[in-house]
PDB file of all heavy atoms in Angstrom:
ATOM      1  N   GLU V 221      -2.035  13.497  -8.502  1.00 98.00           N
ATOM      2  CA  GLU V 221      -1.848  14.266  -9.770  1.00 98.00           C
ATOM      3  C   GLU V 221      -3.036  15.106 -10.102  1.00 98.00           C
ATOM      4  O   GLU V 221      -2.871  16.241 -10.553  1.00 98.00           O
ATOM      5  CB  GLU V 221      -1.585  13.225 -10.870  1.00 98.00           C
ATOM      6  CG  GLU V 221      -0.254  12.517 -10.800  1.00 98.00           C
ATOM      7  CD  GLU V 221       0.007  11.426 -11.778  1.00 98.00           C
ATOM      8  OE1 GLU V 221      -1.007  10.720 -12.212  1.00 98.00           O
ATOM      9  OE2 GLU V 221       1.146  11.262 -12.193  1.00 98.00           O
ATOM     10  N   ASP V 222      -4.271  14.562  -9.840  1.00 98.00           N
ATOM     11  CA  ASP V 222      -5.477  15.449 -10.113  1.00 98.00           C
ATOM     12  C   ASP V 222      -5.468  16.640  -9.212  1.00 98.00           C
ATOM     13  O   ASP V 222      -5.833  17.737  -9.670  1.00 98.00           O
ATOM     14  CB  ASP V 222      -6.734  14.572  -9.843  1.00 98.00           C
ATOM     15  CG  ASP V 222      -7.000  13.500 -10.910  1.00 98.00           C
ATOM     16  OD1 ASP V 222      -6.348  13.656 -11.972  1.00 98.00           O
ATOM     17  OD2 ASP V 222      -7.786  12.622 -10.680  1.00 98.00           O
ATOM     18  N   GLU V 223      -5.069  16.458  -7.915  1.00 98.00           N
ATOM     19  CA  GLU V 223      -5.085  17.558  -6.948  1.00 98.00           C
ATOM     20  C   GLU V 223      -3.983  18.600  -7.347  1.00 98.00           C
ATOM     21  O   GLU V 223      -4.186  19.814  -7.153  1.00 98.00           O
ATOM     22  CB  GLU V 223      -4.848  17.070  -5.608  1.00 98.00           C
ATOM     23  CG  GLU V 223      -5.967  16.237  -4.935  1.00 98.00           C
ATOM     24  CD  GLU V 223      -7.181  17.138  -4.683  1.00 98.00           C
ATOM     25  OE1 GLU V 223      -7.047  18.334  -4.465  1.00 98.00           O
ATOM     26  OE2 GLU V 223      -8.328  16.606  -4.692  1.00 98.00           O
ATOM     27  N   ILE V 224      -2.924  18.129  -7.867  1.00 98.00           N
ATOM     28  CA  ILE V 224      -1.854  19.095  -8.346  1.00 98.00           C
ATOM     29  C   ILE V 224      -2.458  19.903  -9.551  1.00 98.00           C
ATOM     30  O   ILE V 224      -2.197  21.119  -9.567  1.00 98.00           O
ATOM     31  CB  ILE V 224      -0.626  18.291  -8.838  1.00 98.00           C
ATOM     32  CG1 ILE V 224       0.137  17.799  -7.580  1.00 98.00           C
ATOM     33  CG2 ILE V 224       0.346  19.231  -9.635  1.00 98.00           C
ATOM     34  CD1 ILE V 224       1.353  16.925  -7.904  1.00 98.00           C
ATOM     35  N   GLN V 225      -3.134  19.305 -10.458  1.00 98.00           N
ATOM     36  CA  GLN V 225      -3.708  19.995 -11.601  1.00 98.00           C
ATOM     37  C   GLN V 225      -4.760  21.052 -11.117  1.00 98.00           C
ATOM     38  O   GLN V 225      -4.885  22.126 -11.728  1.00 98.00           O
ATOM     39  CB  GLN V 225      -4.370  19.008 -12.525  1.00 98.00           C
ATOM     40  CG  GLN V 225      -3.337  18.247 -13.358  1.00 98.00           C
ATOM     41  CD  GLN V 225      -2.503  19.178 -14.285  1.00 98.00           C
ATOM     42  OE1 GLN V 225      -3.085  19.959 -15.013  1.00 98.00           O
ATOM     43  NE2 GLN V 225      -1.158  19.064 -14.218  1.00 98.00           N
ATOM     44  N   LYS V 226      -5.504  20.735 -10.059  1.00 98.00           N
ATOM     45  CA  LYS V 226      -6.458  21.757  -9.604  1.00 98.00           C
ATOM     46  C   LYS V 226      -5.762  23.003  -9.067  1.00 98.00           C
ATOM     47  O   LYS V 226      -6.341  24.100  -9.237  1.00 98.00           O
ATOM     48  CB  LYS V 226      -7.216  21.132  -8.416  1.00 98.00           C
ATOM     49  CG  LYS V 226      -8.186  19.986  -8.772  1.00 98.00           C
ATOM     50  CD  LYS V 226      -8.925  19.472  -7.526  1.00 98.00           C
ATOM     51  CE  LYS V 226      -9.764  18.284  -7.829  1.00 98.00           C
ATOM     52  NZ  LYS V 226     -10.403  17.661  -6.590  1.00 98.00           N
ATOM     53  N   ARG V 227      -4.575  22.841  -8.532  1.00 98.00           N
ATOM     54  CA  ARG V 227      -3.833  24.045  -8.021  1.00 98.00           C
ATOM     55  C   ARG V 227      -3.004  24.728  -9.083  1.00 98.00           C
ATOM     56  O   ARG V 227      -2.827  25.911  -8.982  1.00 98.00           O
ATOM     57  CB  ARG V 227      -3.073  23.499  -6.796  1.00 98.00           C
ATOM     58  CG  ARG V 227      -3.841  23.193  -5.615  1.00 98.00           C
ATOM     59  CD  ARG V 227      -3.145  22.201  -4.640  1.00 98.00           C
ATOM     60  NE  ARG V 227      -3.985  22.006  -3.458  1.00 98.00           N
ATOM     61  CZ  ARG V 227      -5.020  21.217  -3.476  1.00 98.00           C
ATOM     62  NH1 ARG V 227      -5.373  20.518  -4.532  1.00 98.00           N
ATOM     63  NH2 ARG V 227      -5.703  20.963  -2.336  1.00 98.00           N
ATOM     64  N   ASP V 228      -2.545  23.929 -10.023  1.00 98.00           N
ATOM     65  CA  ASP V 228      -1.645  24.522 -11.064  1.00 98.00           C
ATOM     66  C   ASP V 228      -1.799  23.688 -12.287  1.00 98.00           C
ATOM     67  O   ASP V 228      -1.117  22.613 -12.466  1.00 98.00           O
ATOM     68  CB  ASP V 228      -0.152  24.502 -10.576  1.00 98.00           C
ATOM     69  CG  ASP V 228       0.715  25.249 -11.514  1.00 98.00           C
ATOM     70  OD1 ASP V 228       0.273  25.675 -12.635  1.00 98.00           O
ATOM     71  OD2 ASP V 228       1.928  25.426 -11.270  1.00 98.00           O
ATOM     72  N   SER V 229      -2.648  24.151 -13.225  1.00 97.00           N
ATOM     73  CA  SER V 229      -2.934  23.362 -14.419  1.00 97.00           C
ATOM     74  C   SER V 229      -1.774  23.323 -15.408  1.00 97.00           C
ATOM     75  O   SER V 229      -1.680  22.486 -16.253  1.00 97.00           O
ATOM     76  CB  SER V 229      -4.175  24.025 -15.133  1.00 97.00           C
ATOM     77  OG  SER V 229      -3.841  25.365 -15.529  1.00 97.00           O
ATOM     78  N   ASN V 230      -0.793  24.163 -15.152  1.00 97.00           N
ATOM     79  CA  ASN V 230       0.485  24.201 -15.938  1.00 97.00           C
ATOM     80  C   ASN V 230       1.696  23.762 -15.160  1.00 97.00           C
ATOM     81  O   ASN V 230       2.815  24.205 -15.417  1.00 97.00           O
ATOM     82  CB  ASN V 230       0.740  25.577 -16.581  1.00 97.00           C
ATOM     83  CG  ASN V 230      -0.375  25.964 -17.525  1.00 97.00           C
ATOM     84  OD1 ASN V 230      -0.771  25.204 -18.404  1.00 97.00           O
ATOM     85  ND2 ASN V 230      -0.928  27.178 -17.335  1.00 97.00           N
ATOM     86  N   PHE V 231       1.431  22.862 -14.141  1.00 98.00           N
ATOM     87  CA  PHE V 231       2.455  22.356 -13.272  1.00 98.00           C
ATOM     88  C   PHE V 231       3.676  21.820 -14.133  1.00 98.00           C
ATOM     89  O   PHE V 231       3.458  20.934 -14.941  1.00 98.00           O
ATOM     90  CB  PHE V 231       1.894  21.337 -12.350  1.00 98.00           C
ATOM     91  CG  PHE V 231       2.974  20.797 -11.358  1.00 98.00           C
ATOM     92  CD1 PHE V 231       3.100  21.433 -10.147  1.00 98.00           C
ATOM     93  CD2 PHE V 231       3.704  19.655 -11.541  1.00 98.00           C
ATOM     94  CE1 PHE V 231       3.955  20.958  -9.183  1.00 98.00           C
ATOM     95  CE2 PHE V 231       4.579  19.173 -10.683  1.00 98.00           C
ATOM     96  CZ  PHE V 231       4.742  19.756  -9.481  1.00 98.00           C
ATOM     97  N   ASP V 232       4.837  22.371 -13.897  1.00 98.00           N
ATOM     98  CA  ASP V 232       6.009  21.893 -14.723  1.00 98.00           C
ATOM     99  C   ASP V 232       7.255  21.630 -13.835  1.00 98.00           C
ATOM    100  O   ASP V 232       8.323  21.511 -14.376  1.00 98.00           O
ATOM    101  CB  ASP V 232       6.352  22.980 -15.707  1.00 98.00           C
ATOM    102  CG  ASP V 232       6.739  24.318 -15.213  1.00 98.00           C
ATOM    103  OD1 ASP V 232       6.781  24.470 -13.936  1.00 98.00           O
ATOM    104  OD2 ASP V 232       7.100  25.227 -15.920  1.00 98.00           O
ATOM    105  N   LYS V 233       7.022  21.477 -12.545  1.00 98.00           N
ATOM    106  CA  LYS V 233       8.200  21.122 -11.710  1.00 98.00           C
ATOM    107  C   LYS V 233       8.539  19.639 -11.851  1.00 98.00           C
ATOM    108  O   LYS V 233       7.650  18.815 -12.249  1.00 98.00           O
ATOM    109  CB  LYS V 233       7.881  21.369 -10.237  1.00 98.00           C
ATOM    110  CG  LYS V 233       7.617  22.774  -9.872  1.00 98.00           C
ATOM    111  CD  LYS V 233       7.271  22.881  -8.381  1.00 98.00           C
ATOM    112  CE  LYS V 233       6.846  24.322  -8.020  1.00 98.00           C
ATOM    113  NZ  LYS V 233       6.494  24.418  -6.626  1.00 98.00           N
ATOM    114  N   PRO V 234       9.719  19.166 -11.627  1.00 98.00           N
ATOM    115  CA  PRO V 234      10.065  17.743 -11.637  1.00 98.00           C
ATOM    116  C   PRO V 234       9.149  16.992 -10.669  1.00 98.00           C
ATOM    117  O   PRO V 234       9.065  17.452  -9.470  1.00 98.00           O
ATOM    118  CB  PRO V 234      11.507  17.655 -11.217  1.00 98.00           C
ATOM    119  CG  PRO V 234      12.086  19.081 -11.550  1.00 98.00           C
ATOM    120  CD  PRO V 234      10.914  20.014 -11.336  1.00 98.00           C
ATOM    121  N   LEU V 235       8.463  15.969 -11.100  1.00 98.00           N
ATOM    122  CA  LEU V 235       7.645  15.095 -10.274  1.00 98.00           C
ATOM    123  C   LEU V 235       8.099  13.704 -10.459  1.00 98.00           C
ATOM    124  O   LEU V 235       7.697  13.006 -11.430  1.00 98.00           O
ATOM    125  CB  LEU V 235       6.108  15.251 -10.633  1.00 98.00           C
ATOM    126  CG  LEU V 235       5.226  14.608  -9.786  1.00 98.00           C
ATOM    127  CD1 LEU V 235       5.097  15.088  -8.312  1.00 98.00           C
ATOM    128  CD2 LEU V 235       3.766  14.671 -10.355  1.00 98.00           C
ATOM    129  N   LEU V 236       8.921  13.176  -9.619  1.00 98.00           N
ATOM    130  CA  LEU V 236       9.562  11.874  -9.710  1.00 98.00           C
ATOM    131  C   LEU V 236       8.718  10.797  -8.938  1.00 98.00           C
ATOM    132  O   LEU V 236       8.578  10.962  -7.670  1.00 98.00           O
ATOM    133  CB  LEU V 236      10.977  11.842  -9.212  1.00 98.00           C
ATOM    134  CG  LEU V 236      11.843  13.037  -9.724  1.00 98.00           C
ATOM    135  CD1 LEU V 236      13.279  12.937  -9.149  1.00 98.00           C
ATOM    136  CD2 LEU V 236      11.898  13.028 -11.231  1.00 98.00           C
ATOM    137  N   ILE V 237       8.082   9.875  -9.597  1.00 98.00           N
ATOM    138  CA  ILE V 237       7.141   8.977  -8.933  1.00 98.00           C
ATOM    139  C   ILE V 237       7.766   7.566  -8.963  1.00 98.00           C
ATOM    140  O   ILE V 237       8.157   7.058 -10.003  1.00 98.00           O
ATOM    141  CB  ILE V 237       5.777   8.960  -9.650  1.00 98.00           C
ATOM    142  CG1 ILE V 237       5.175  10.362  -9.533  1.00 98.00           C
ATOM    143  CG2 ILE V 237       4.884   7.884  -9.005  1.00 98.00           C
ATOM    144  CD1 ILE V 237       3.902  10.499 -10.354  1.00 98.00           C
ATOM    145  N   PHE V 238       7.801   6.935  -7.790  1.00 98.00           N
ATOM    146  CA  PHE V 238       8.241   5.582  -7.637  1.00 98.00           C
ATOM    147  C   PHE V 238       7.298   4.700  -6.829  1.00 98.00           C
ATOM    148  O   PHE V 238       6.944   4.994  -5.793  1.00 98.00           O
ATOM    149  CB  PHE V 238       9.641   5.580  -6.977  1.00 98.00           C
ATOM    150  CG  PHE V 238      10.660   6.407  -7.596  1.00 98.00           C
ATOM    151  CD1 PHE V 238      10.805   7.800  -7.236  1.00 98.00           C
ATOM    152  CD2 PHE V 238      11.465   5.940  -8.599  1.00 98.00           C
ATOM    153  CE1 PHE V 238      11.781   8.564  -7.883  1.00 98.00           C
ATOM    154  CE2 PHE V 238      12.405   6.748  -9.208  1.00 98.00           C
ATOM    155  CZ  PHE V 238      12.572   8.071  -8.875  1.00 98.00           C
ATOM    156  N   GLU V 239       6.835   3.642  -7.567  1.00 98.00           N
ATOM    157  CA  GLU V 239       5.788   2.802  -6.954  1.00 98.00           C
ATOM    158  C   GLU V 239       6.409   1.452  -6.652  1.00 98.00           C
ATOM    159  O   GLU V 239       6.858   0.739  -7.519  1.00 98.00           O
ATOM    160  CB  GLU V 239       4.567   2.638  -7.922  1.00 98.00           C
ATOM    161  CG  GLU V 239       3.356   2.030  -7.207  1.00 98.00           C
ATOM    162  CD  GLU V 239       2.128   2.270  -8.001  1.00 98.00           C
ATOM    163  OE1 GLU V 239       1.479   3.419  -7.884  1.00 98.00           O
ATOM    164  OE2 GLU V 239       1.714   1.444  -8.753  1.00 98.00           O
ATOM    165  N   GLN V 240       6.414   1.071  -5.359  1.00 98.00           N
ATOM    166  CA  GLN V 240       7.205  -0.121  -4.925  1.00 98.00           C
ATOM    167  C   GLN V 240       6.620  -1.361  -5.454  1.00 98.00           C
ATOM    168  O   GLN V 240       7.425  -2.287  -5.790  1.00 98.00           O
ATOM    169  CB  GLN V 240       7.196  -0.097  -3.417  1.00 98.00           C
ATOM    170  CG  GLN V 240       8.190  -1.210  -2.859  1.00 98.00           C
ATOM    171  CD  GLN V 240       8.590  -0.938  -1.386  1.00 98.00           C
ATOM    172  OE1 GLN V 240       8.060  -0.053  -0.780  1.00 98.00           O
ATOM    173  NE2 GLN V 240       9.461  -1.754  -0.850  1.00 98.00           N
ATOM    174  N   GLN V 241       5.343  -1.510  -5.582  1.00 98.00           N
ATOM    175  CA  GLN V 241       4.793  -2.765  -6.059  1.00 98.00           C
ATOM    176  C   GLN V 241       4.988  -2.995  -7.603  1.00 98.00           C
ATOM    177  O   GLN V 241       4.696  -4.066  -8.103  1.00 98.00           O
ATOM    178  CB  GLN V 241       3.243  -2.794  -5.781  1.00 98.00           C
ATOM    179  CG  GLN V 241       3.042  -3.000  -4.251  1.00 98.00           C
ATOM    180  CD  GLN V 241       1.533  -2.851  -3.843  1.00 98.00           C
ATOM    181  OE1 GLN V 241       0.755  -2.353  -4.667  1.00 98.00           O
ATOM    182  NE2 GLN V 241       1.252  -3.269  -2.604  1.00 98.00           N
ATOM    183  N   LYS V 242       5.551  -1.959  -8.231  1.00 97.00           N
ATOM    184  CA  LYS V 242       5.876  -2.064  -9.693  1.00 97.00           C
ATOM    185  C   LYS V 242       7.442  -2.229  -9.801  1.00 97.00           C
ATOM    186  O   LYS V 242       7.885  -2.537 -11.017  1.00 97.00           O
ATOM    187  CB  LYS V 242       5.488  -0.894 -10.489  1.00 97.00           C
ATOM    188  CG  LYS V 242       3.874  -0.784 -10.599  1.00 97.00           C
ATOM    189  CD  LYS V 242       3.486   0.384 -11.436  1.00 97.00           C
ATOM    190  CE  LYS V 242       1.971   0.456 -11.567  1.00 97.00           C
ATOM    191  NZ  LYS V 242       1.563   1.683 -12.370  1.00 97.00           N
ATOM    192  N   ALA V 243       8.166  -2.126  -8.751  1.00 97.00           N
ATOM    193  CA  ALA V 243       9.574  -2.152  -8.801  1.00 97.00           C
ATOM    194  C   ALA V 243      10.121  -3.583  -8.735  1.00 97.00           C
ATOM    195  O   ALA V 243       9.446  -4.474  -8.222  1.00 97.00           O
ATOM    196  CB  ALA V 243      10.212  -1.318  -7.671  1.00 97.00           C
ATOM    197  N   GLU V 244      11.314  -3.851  -9.243  1.00 96.00           N
ATOM    198  CA  GLU V 244      11.855  -5.189  -9.179  1.00 96.00           C
ATOM    199  C   GLU V 244      12.261  -5.571  -7.773  1.00 96.00           C
ATOM    200  O   GLU V 244      12.185  -6.721  -7.378  1.00 96.00           O
ATOM    201  CB  GLU V 244      13.190  -5.214 -10.076  1.00 96.00           C
ATOM    202  CG  GLU V 244      12.852  -5.123 -11.616  1.00 96.00           C
ATOM    203  CD  GLU V 244      14.167  -5.185 -12.363  1.00 96.00           C
ATOM    204  OE1 GLU V 244      15.229  -5.431 -11.726  1.00 96.00           O
ATOM    205  OE2 GLU V 244      14.117  -4.991 -13.563  1.00 96.00           O
ATOM    206  N   SER V 245      12.643  -4.609  -6.932  1.00 97.00           N
ATOM    207  CA  SER V 245      12.953  -4.810  -5.562  1.00 97.00           C
ATOM    208  C   SER V 245      13.047  -3.468  -4.821  1.00 97.00           C
ATOM    209  O   SER V 245      13.025  -2.382  -5.539  1.00 97.00           O
ATOM    210  CB  SER V 245      14.340  -5.476  -5.434  1.00 97.00           C
ATOM    211  OG  SER V 245      15.341  -4.638  -5.956  1.00 97.00           O
ATOM    212  N   GLU V 246      13.108  -3.489  -3.565  1.00 97.00           N
ATOM    213  CA  GLU V 246      13.225  -2.193  -2.801  1.00 97.00           C
ATOM    214  C   GLU V 246      14.513  -1.539  -3.205  1.00 97.00           C
ATOM    215  O   GLU V 246      14.582  -0.304  -3.387  1.00 97.00           O
ATOM    216  CB  GLU V 246      13.203  -2.492  -1.321  1.00 97.00           C
ATOM    217  CG  GLU V 246      13.331  -1.204  -0.437  1.00 97.00           C
ATOM    218  CD  GLU V 246      13.386  -1.501   1.030  1.00 97.00           C
ATOM    219  OE1 GLU V 246      12.385  -1.989   1.566  1.00 97.00           O
ATOM    220  OE2 GLU V 246      14.438  -1.261   1.634  1.00 97.00           O
ATOM    221  N   TRP V 247      15.625  -2.288  -3.351  1.00 97.00           N
ATOM    222  CA  TRP V 247      16.907  -1.770  -3.749  1.00 97.00           C
ATOM    223  C   TRP V 247      16.790  -1.023  -5.094  1.00 97.00           C
ATOM    224  O   TRP V 247      17.325   0.114  -5.264  1.00 97.00           O
ATOM    225  CB  TRP V 247      17.986  -2.845  -3.811  1.00 97.00           C
ATOM    226  CG  TRP V 247      19.296  -2.416  -4.265  1.00 97.00           C
ATOM    227  CD1 TRP V 247      19.754  -2.580  -5.562  1.00 97.00           C
ATOM    228  CD2 TRP V 247      20.335  -1.646  -3.640  1.00 97.00           C
ATOM    229  NE1 TRP V 247      20.979  -2.031  -5.742  1.00 97.00           N
ATOM    230  CE2 TRP V 247      21.340  -1.444  -4.508  1.00 97.00           C
ATOM    231  CE3 TRP V 247      20.413  -1.181  -2.330  1.00 97.00           C
ATOM    232  CZ2 TRP V 247      22.457  -0.726  -4.185  1.00 97.00           C
ATOM    233  CZ3 TRP V 247      21.530  -0.425  -1.955  1.00 97.00           C
ATOM    234  CH2 TRP V 247      22.558  -0.253  -2.882  1.00 97.00           C
ATOM    235  N   ASP V 248      16.112  -1.706  -6.014  1.00 97.00           N
ATOM    236  CA  ASP V 248      15.912  -1.058  -7.368  1.00 97.00           C
ATOM    237  C   ASP V 248      15.208   0.259  -7.199  1.00 97.00           C
ATOM    238  O   ASP V 248      15.636   1.214  -7.785  1.00 97.00           O
ATOM    239  CB  ASP V 248      15.124  -2.017  -8.234  1.00 97.00           C
ATOM    240  CG  ASP V 248      14.689  -1.406  -9.541  1.00 97.00           C
ATOM    241  OD1 ASP V 248      15.548  -1.018 -10.357  1.00 97.00           O
ATOM    242  OD2 ASP V 248      13.461  -1.336  -9.747  1.00 97.00           O
ATOM    243  N   MET V 249      14.105   0.285  -6.486  1.00 98.00           N
ATOM    244  CA  MET V 249      13.336   1.578  -6.408  1.00 98.00           C
ATOM    245  C   MET V 249      14.102   2.591  -5.672  1.00 98.00           C
ATOM    246  O   MET V 249      14.164   3.759  -6.092  1.00 98.00           O
ATOM    247  CB  MET V 249      11.970   1.284  -5.633  1.00 98.00           C
ATOM    248  CG  MET V 249      11.177   2.475  -5.537  1.00 98.00           C
ATOM    249  SD  MET V 249       9.710   2.336  -4.452  1.00 98.00           S
ATOM    250  CE  MET V 249      10.512   2.490  -2.839  1.00 98.00           C
ATOM    251  N   MET V 250      14.689   2.240  -4.595  1.00 97.00           N
ATOM    252  CA  MET V 250      15.364   3.261  -3.725  1.00 97.00           C
ATOM    253  C   MET V 250      16.652   3.752  -4.455  1.00 97.00           C
ATOM    254  O   MET V 250      16.941   5.044  -4.420  1.00 97.00           O
ATOM    255  CB  MET V 250      15.814   2.695  -2.398  1.00 97.00           C
ATOM    256  CG  MET V 250      14.588   2.391  -1.475  1.00 97.00           C
ATOM    257  SD  MET V 250      13.874   3.896  -0.944  1.00 97.00           S
ATOM    258  CE  MET V 250      15.068   4.421   0.310  1.00 97.00           C
TER     259      MET V 250
END
């Protein structure tokens, strides 16, 4: 996210983030 801001401080594209260790299961995340 920091590197994105360096390139475009007004970045407004959809950025969908999924972290597996925070998900209920792989099925849930996927």
Side-chain angles (χ1 to χ4, degrees):
E221 291 174 324
D222 288 345
E223 291 291 332
I224 288 174
Q225 285 297 306
K226 290 178 184 177
R227 288 156 177 78
D228 186 355
S229 59
N230 296 312
F231 183 85
D232 61 357
K233 297 177 185 178
L235 183 67
L236 312 178
I237 298 172
F238 302 91
E239 193 162 277
Q240 190 160 3
Q241 290 172 346
K242 292 180 179 179
E244 294 180 5
S245 64
E246 181 183 295
W247 174 259
D248 168 63
M249 182 188 78
M250 290 290 287

